Amino acid sequence: MSGWWNALADPNTQWIMLGSMLLGLCSGVIGSFAYLRKQSLMGDVLSHAALPGVCIAFMLTGTKSLWQFLIGAAIAGILATFGIGWITRHSRIKQDAALAIVLTVFFGAGIALLTQIQHNGNGNQSGLDKFLFGQAAAMVPTDVRAVAVVTIVLVGLCALLFKEFKLVSFDPGFARGLGYPVVFLEQLLMFLAVVTVVAGIQAVGVVLMASLLITPAVSARYWSDKLNVMVALAGTFGAVSGLIGTMISAGGNHLPTGPLSVLSATALFLVSVLFAPRRGMLSVALARLAARNRIKRETAATWVERKEEAV
Amino acid sequence: MAYAPLRIEHMTVAYQQKPVLRNVSLEVPEGKLIGIVGPNGAGKSTLIKATLGLVPPLSGKVEIYGKPYDKQRHLVGYVPQRESVDWDFPTDALDVVMMGRYGKLGWFRRPGAEDKKAALQCLAQVGMAEYANRQISQLSGGQQQRVFLARALAQDASLYFMDEPFAGVDAATEKAIIGLLNELKTQGKTVLGVHHDLSTVRDYFDWVLLLNVEVIAAGPTSQVFTAENLQRTYGGRLAMLERDSTSVLIANRR
C-alpha cells in the first residue's frame, strides 16, 4: 500500500495518471456516439488505419509531433472510411467484410512502414514502435497538455452540439428532413474519433484503442436510459479505467498502463452486465423469478377456489 | 394565386441503374388526406424520400407551396417508417417528440420549457401523455408509431409525409391515427401517406395516388380508385370481388 502512495506522489506518475484519465474521458464520450450509431467496429478500423498515417507523417517530417500525426491519421482514417463505403457500394460485399478487408490492409501497411522506419534508424524513431501497444509511461507533460486540449475541444463540441449529435445518432433520415447537414455532422463525429485515437496512440496504442472507445460506452448504456447520463457515465468510466490502470501500473509490478486501463474498463463492463439495475443479468433474473412465483401463487389460488366451488 | 402544397415535375429516381420512379409528375390539392397506393417496390417510400431530399433524384423538380423544398422545410412534417430507427436508443417518448422542434431551434440552442410544453401537448393529442417519460423500447409498436406521429405534429407543419403510418399497429391505434389525420385536415393541412390496406382506402383518403414506378392515376378517390386502375397498378396480382356495391379487394397469395 505504501508503495502505491510513494509511486503516486511522484509527479511523473501524476502526469501519466492525468493523461490516462483525460484519454479515458474523451474516448468514453465520443465512443458513446459511435456505439449508438452502430459504428463500434469503426473505432477499430480508425485506430488500425491511423498506424500507416502516423508512420508516413513521421517519414515525411522526421519528427514526432502530435499535430502532424493527427493530420496523417486523419487522412488515413478518411481514406479507410471512403474505402469501406466504396467497397460496399460497388460490390456485393457487405459492410462487415469490407471493414475486415480495409482494417487489415491498413494495419499491414502500417506494420510494413513501421519496420521500414526502424531499419532506417535515423535516431529519432525511438518510441514509434510503442504505437502498437502504447507506452503511457513515456508520456511527458507536453503530451498530457496536448491530450488536455483535445479533451476540452472534444467535450466542448459534444456539449454544444449535443442536440444535433443525438438526432443524427437516433434518426439521421429525420435530421436530414429538418435540413441538418447530416453528412457534415457524421464526418465531424468520425473526425473526433480519429482525434481521440491519435491522442491515445502513445498511451494505449492502436490495437487496444478501440476497446477504450467502446467498452465504457457499452457499460454506461447498462446504467441509464438517458443519453446525457449515458455519455457522462461513459466519460466517467473511461476516466476511472485510466485511473485504476495507472494505479495498478504504478504499484511497482512493471505492468504497462494502457493494457491495464483496458482491463479495468472490461472489469467495469463485467460489473455493469451483472449488476446494473433493470438491464443487468442479476436484476433480469430476479425479475423473472418474481414473475414466476407470482404466476404460481395466482394459479394455485384459482385451483383452491375451484375446489371450494366443487365442494 | 395560391400554390399547391406539393408539385412534382418529371421526377426520376434510380438506385444503381434500375429506375425506381420514372418521370413522376404530380400536383396535390390543399387540405386533403392523400393515400399513396401501389405494390411492393413501386417506389412509394422513395417518392417521399426523394421529395424530402433523402435520396437524390436523377432529374426532376419539387415545389412545396410554390418554392423549392430547401426554403420551405418549416412547412413540412415527416413520419418515417417505424423500423428505420433503433428503438433501444437511450431516450424517452417526450424527448423523441421534442426532436420535432429541433428544426425551429437552430444551432447549439437547447429545447426549453416552451418546447417541452408543446411536445407534451402533441403527445396528449395522440393519447400518449402518460407515457411521456417511458423509455422508447418499452413502448408497443402502436405506441411507437404514435410517438413518431406526435413528433411530426411537433413540427407544426402544413404538409405531412407519412411512410406507412398504419404498418403493424392494432385496430385501436389505427382508429386513433385516422382520427388525428382528419383533425389535421379540418385545420387545412395536407397529408400524404403510404398505405397498404386496399380495403380501407375509400374510408380513409379523399385523394389517391396509384403508383407503380410511374404514376398510374391520381385524383379524388371516388374517381380514381377503380377496379380497372387497380388492375393496371398491381398487374395481374389482384383478385376482386364485387359485393354490395363496395369492392372488396384481395391480393392473390401466389
Side-chain angles (χ1 to χ4, degrees):
Chain A
M1 204 57 197
S2 65
W4 263 1
W5 285 120
N6 287 340
L8 291 182
D10 175 17
N12 212 9
T13 313
Q14 285 168 0
W15 279 110
I16 294 167
M17 183 181 285
L18 182 63
S20 303
M21 286 178 71
L22 289 175
L23 187 64
L25 176 69
C26 271
S27 38
V29 167
I30 198 67
S32 298
F33 292 104
Y35 167 59
L36 290 173
R37 291 173 60 230
K38 313 261 182 291
Q39 301 251 306
S40 302
L41 271 175
M42 208 44 116
D44 215 10
V45 171
L46 289 179
S47 52
H48 282 77
L51 188 61
V54 167
C55 287
I56 290 172
F58 176 78
M59 286 166 108
L60 290 178
T61 61
T63 51
K64 282 186 291 180
S65 135
L66 188 71
W67 305 111
Q68 280 158 19
F69 287 175
L70 188 59
I71 294 167
I75 293 172
I78 290 164
L79 281 178
T81 32
F82 275 135
I84 292 162
W86 192 85
I87 290 173
T88 42
R89 264 198 305 280
H90 294 280
S91 73
R92 299 173 60 96
I93 298 166
K94 297 275 183 294
Q95 204 194 11
D96 59 334
L99 283 170
I101 293 169
V102 170
L103 185 153
T104 43
V105 163
F106 274 78
F107 191 58
I111 296 289
L113 289 170
L114 203 57
T115 318
Q116 173 69 20
I117 290 169
Q118 274 161 347
H119 282 290
N120 275 354
N122 67 1
N124 210 353
Q125 91 279 20
S126 66
L128 218 55
D129 57 323
K130 297 293 188 294
F131 285 179
L132 275 187
F133 300 108
Q135 193 182 36
M139 270 202 287
V140 293
T142 40
D143 296 327
V144 178
R145 282 195 198 100
V147 175
V149 170
V150 166
T151 310
I152 291 166
V153 171
L154 186 140
V155 173
L157 272 176
C158 286
L160 272 177
L161 294 172
F162 184 74
K163 156 176 121 280
E164 286 79 6
F165 284 166
K166 174 164 71 178
L167 185 55
V168 163
S169 305
F170 175 61
D171 194 346
F174 188 78
R176 205 169 297 160
L178 288 184
Y180 277 37
V182 172
V183 176
F184 168 75
L185 288 168
E186 284 177 344
Q187 298 286 347
L188 181 61
L189 280 170
M190 195 81 88
F191 179 71
L192 291 179
V194 172
V195 171
T196 309
V197 165
V198 173
I201 277 186
Q202 200 178 20
V204 182
V206 294
V207 178
L208 292 177
M209 201 48 216
S211 159
L212 272 195
L213 277 172
I214 297 308
T215 315
V218 179
S219 310
R221 180 68 190 90
Y222 272 91
W223 296 89
S224 178
D225 277 338
K226 293 218 180 306
L227 182 62
N228 48 2
V229 179
M230 177 192 157
V231 172
L233 263 181
T236 312
F237 284 170
V240 168
S241 307
L243 177 72
I244 298 175
T246 320
M247 278 174 68
I248 299 175
S249 173
N253 44 22
H254 300 295
L255 289 173
T257 309
L260 282 174
S261 300
V262 169
L263 288 177
S264 311
T266 313
L268 280 173
F269 167 69
L270 283 176
V271 170
S272 307
V273 171
L274 290 173
F275 301 113
R278 288 214 310 284
R279 293 174 84 95
M281 284 169 86
L282 187 70
S283 102
V284 168
L286 285 176
R288 277 181 65 96
L289 199 69
R292 193 186 298 160
N293 284 340
R294 201 181 59 237
I295 302 268
K296 254 189 206 158
R297 268 201 311 278
E298 282 171 12
T299 327
T302 45
W303 270 348
V304 171
E305 269 172 35
R306 272 194 213 147
K307 260 191 185 160
E308 279 170 357
E309 276 169 27
V311 171
Chain B
M1 188 204 124
Y3 288 105
L6 171 66
R7 230 171 92 90
I8 298 175
E9 279 175 39
H10 308 295
M11 183 196 273
T12 298
V13 182
Y15 296 124
Q16 312 285 343
Q17 274 82 39
K18 200 169 162 276
V20 185
L21 288 173
R22 196 182 299 129
N23 200 20
V24 170
S25 293
L26 183 70
E27 189 174 321
V28 305
E30 192 166 16
K32 300 266 188 261
L33 301 186
I34 298 151
I36 305 174
V37 175
N40 290 335
K44 303 183 294 294
S45 294
T46 307
L47 179 68
I48 290 181
K49 285 182 183 155
T51 307
L52 298 178
L54 306 185
V55 296
L58 284 182
S59 64
K61 206 170 101 178
V62 176
E63 279 183 1
I64 312 278
Y65 289 100
K67 286 188 191 146
Y69 176 59
D70 278 348
K71 299 212 161 60
Q72 304 282 52
R73 285 183 199 280
H74 58 286
L75 294 175
V76 176
Y78 174 40
V79 181
Q81 283 186 22
R82 187 156 48 85
E83 304 84 59
S84 65
V85 304
D86 173 15
W87 288 93
D88 197 33
F89 196 86
T91 185
D92 56 28
L94 181 64
D95 200 37
V96 173
V97 176
M98 214 110 83
M99 290 173 187
R101 309 271 300 178
Y102 284 10
K104 294 187 169 59
L105 274 175
W107 288 89
F108 310 126
R109 287 257 315 276
R110 299 283 180 89
E114 199 183 312
D115 298 296
K116 193 172 170 181
K117 215 176 108 192
L120 273 170
Q121 209 177 344
C122 294
L123 267 176
Q125 259 181 288
V126 297
M128 290 280 293
E130 65 266 45
Y131 296 97
N133 296 316
R134 186 74 69 88
Q135 210 277 319
I136 53 173
S137 67
Q138 298 182 2
L139 300 170
S140 72
Q143 290 168 338
Q144 290 172 348
Q145 190 66 55
R146 289 192 205 199
V147 167
F148 260 12
L149 215 61
R151 181 176 70 170
L153 292 180
Q155 289 184 273
D156 194 20
S158 304
L159 171 65
Y160 285 97
F161 293 94
M162 304 191 177
D163 205 342
E164 304 200 22
F166 303 110
V169 304
D170 61 17
T173 303
E174 186 160 332
K175 223 171 176 181
I177 294 175
I178 201 70
L180 192 74
L181 297 192
N182 278 312
E183 203 183 305
L184 288 174
K185 188 172 81 171
T186 56
Q187 294 168 16
K189 308 196 167 187
T190 311
V191 180
L192 277 102
V194 172
H195 193 55
H196 269 299
D197 183 2
L198 296 180
S199 65
T200 51
V201 168
R202 270 175 208 279
D203 301 333
Y204 290 176
F205 297 107
D206 317 310
W207 227 75
V208 263
L209 165 66
L210 294 172
L211 190 71
N212 191 351
V213 184
E214 294 168 321
V215 175
I216 307 293
T221 311
S222 53
Q223 294 166 27
V224 168
F225 197 70
T226 61
E228 190 199 344
N229 277 339
L230 281 168
Q231 285 288 8
R232 281 170 54 211
T233 312
Y234 286 81
R237 285 178 294 160
L238 211 64
M240 244 158 278
L241 304 165
E242 283 288 329
R243 199 171 61 192
D244 305 336
S245 81
T246 44
S247 57
V248 179
L249 302 148
I250 300 158
N252 257 343
R253 289 186 182 84
R254 270 196 308 193

